[in-house]
mmCIF file of all heavy atoms in Angstrom:
data_model
loop_
_atom_site.group_PDB
_atom_site.id
_atom_site.type_symbol
_atom_site.label_atom_id
_atom_site.label_comp_id
_atom_site.label_asym_id
_atom_site.label_seq_id
_atom_site.Cartn_x
_atom_site.Cartn_y
_atom_site.Cartn_z
ATOM 1 N N VAL A 354 -27.245 -14.641 1.094
ATOM 2 C CA VAL A 354 -26.456 -15.585 1.877
ATOM 3 C C VAL A 354 -25.004 -15.512 1.414
ATOM 4 O O VAL A 354 -24.721 -15.525 0.217
ATOM 5 C CB VAL A 354 -26.976 -17.036 1.699
ATOM 6 C CG1 VAL A 354 -26.065 -18.021 2.421
ATOM 7 C CG2 VAL A 354 -28.400 -17.154 2.234
ATOM 8 N N ILE A 355 -24.090 -15.394 2.386
ATOM 9 C CA ILE A 355 -22.655 -15.523 2.091
ATOM 10 C C ILE A 355 -22.228 -16.882 2.624
ATOM 11 O O ILE A 355 -22.333 -17.148 3.823
ATOM 12 C CB ILE A 355 -21.828 -14.400 2.763
ATOM 13 C CG1 ILE A 355 -22.269 -13.036 2.233
ATOM 14 C CG2 ILE A 355 -20.343 -14.613 2.509
ATOM 15 C CD1 ILE A 355 -21.575 -11.869 2.914
ATOM 16 N N TRP A 356 -21.791 -17.743 1.727
ATOM 17 C CA TRP A 356 -21.433 -19.110 2.112
ATOM 18 C C TRP A 356 -19.947 -19.178 2.444
ATOM 19 O O TRP A 356 -19.098 -18.751 1.674
ATOM 20 C CB TRP A 356 -21.766 -20.063 0.962
ATOM 21 C CG TRP A 356 -21.546 -21.501 1.296
ATOM 22 C CD1 TRP A 356 -22.401 -22.343 1.924
ATOM 23 C CD2 TRP A 356 -20.375 -22.273 1.003
ATOM 24 N NE1 TRP A 356 -21.851 -23.597 2.046
ATOM 25 C CE2 TRP A 356 -20.599 -23.575 1.497
ATOM 26 C CE3 TRP A 356 -19.151 -21.977 0.393
ATOM 27 C CZ2 TRP A 356 -19.656 -24.591 1.382
ATOM 28 C CZ3 TRP A 356 -18.202 -22.984 0.273
ATOM 29 C CH2 TRP A 356 -18.471 -24.272 0.767
ATOM 30 N N HIS A 357 -19.650 -19.698 3.641
ATOM 31 C CA HIS A 357 -18.266 -19.868 4.088
ATOM 32 C C HIS A 357 -18.008 -21.332 4.433
ATOM 33 O O HIS A 357 -18.899 -22.019 4.924
ATOM 34 C CB HIS A 357 -17.981 -19.051 5.361
ATOM 35 C CG HIS A 357 -17.790 -17.597 5.145
ATOM 36 N ND1 HIS A 357 -18.810 -16.755 4.803
ATOM 37 C CD2 HIS A 357 -16.679 -16.811 5.251
ATOM 38 C CE1 HIS A 357 -18.355 -15.514 4.710
ATOM 39 N NE2 HIS A 357 -17.066 -15.524 4.971
ATOM 40 N N THR A 358 -16.785 -21.764 4.216
ATOM 41 C CA THR A 358 -16.358 -23.039 4.773
ATOM 42 C C THR A 358 -15.859 -22.795 6.189
ATOM 43 O O THR A 358 -15.605 -21.659 6.598
ATOM 44 C CB THR A 358 -15.219 -23.651 3.929
ATOM 45 O OG1 THR A 358 -14.135 -22.711 3.866
ATOM 46 C CG2 THR A 358 -15.699 -23.981 2.532
ATOM 47 N N GLN A 359 -15.694 -23.849 6.948
ATOM 48 C CA GLN A 359 -15.240 -23.714 8.334
ATOM 49 C C GLN A 359 -13.834 -23.120 8.373
ATOM 50 O O GLN A 359 -12.951 -23.532 7.615
ATOM 51 C CB GLN A 359 -15.252 -25.071 9.023
ATOM 52 C CG GLN A 359 -14.920 -24.994 10.511
ATOM 53 C CD GLN A 359 -15.073 -26.349 11.186
ATOM 54 O OE1 GLN A 359 -15.413 -27.326 10.546
ATOM 55 N NE2 GLN A 359 -14.821 -26.399 12.480
ATOM 56 N N GLY A 360 -13.647 -22.137 9.232
ATOM 57 C CA GLY A 360 -12.332 -21.525 9.399
ATOM 58 C C GLY A 360 -11.936 -20.552 8.318
ATOM 59 O O GLY A 360 -10.772 -20.168 8.205
ATOM 60 N N SER A 361 -12.905 -20.112 7.510
ATOM 61 C CA SER A 361 -12.566 -19.230 6.392
ATOM 62 C C SER A 361 -12.763 -17.745 6.711
ATOM 63 O O SER A 361 -12.626 -16.914 5.832
ATOM 64 C CB SER A 361 -13.399 -19.605 5.160
ATOM 65 O OG SER A 361 -14.780 -19.484 5.436
ATOM 66 N N GLY A 362 -13.123 -17.432 7.953
ATOM 67 C CA GLY A 362 -13.146 -16.032 8.349
ATOM 68 C C GLY A 362 -14.520 -15.389 8.402
ATOM 69 O O GLY A 362 -14.676 -14.224 8.046
ATOM 70 N N LYS A 363 -15.534 -16.143 8.879
ATOM 71 C CA LYS A 363 -16.892 -15.594 8.965
ATOM 72 C C LYS A 363 -16.958 -14.384 9.887
ATOM 73 O O LYS A 363 -17.574 -13.371 9.570
ATOM 74 C CB LYS A 363 -17.862 -16.668 9.469
ATOM 75 C CG LYS A 363 -18.063 -17.839 8.523
ATOM 76 C CD LYS A 363 -19.069 -18.839 9.035
ATOM 77 C CE LYS A 363 -18.590 -19.605 10.253
ATOM 78 N NZ LYS A 363 -17.459 -20.487 9.961
ATOM 79 N N SER A 364 -16.295 -14.497 11.032
ATOM 80 C CA SER A 364 -16.353 -13.409 12.023
ATOM 81 C C SER A 364 -15.725 -12.140 11.476
ATOM 82 O O SER A 364 -16.254 -11.036 11.656
ATOM 83 C CB SER A 364 -15.649 -13.831 13.317
ATOM 84 O OG SER A 364 -16.285 -14.947 13.889
#
Side-chain angles (χ1 to χ4, degrees):
V354 175
I355 299 176
W356 185 85
H357 283 71
T358 57
Q359 186 175 0
S361 60
K363 294 182 291 294
S364 298

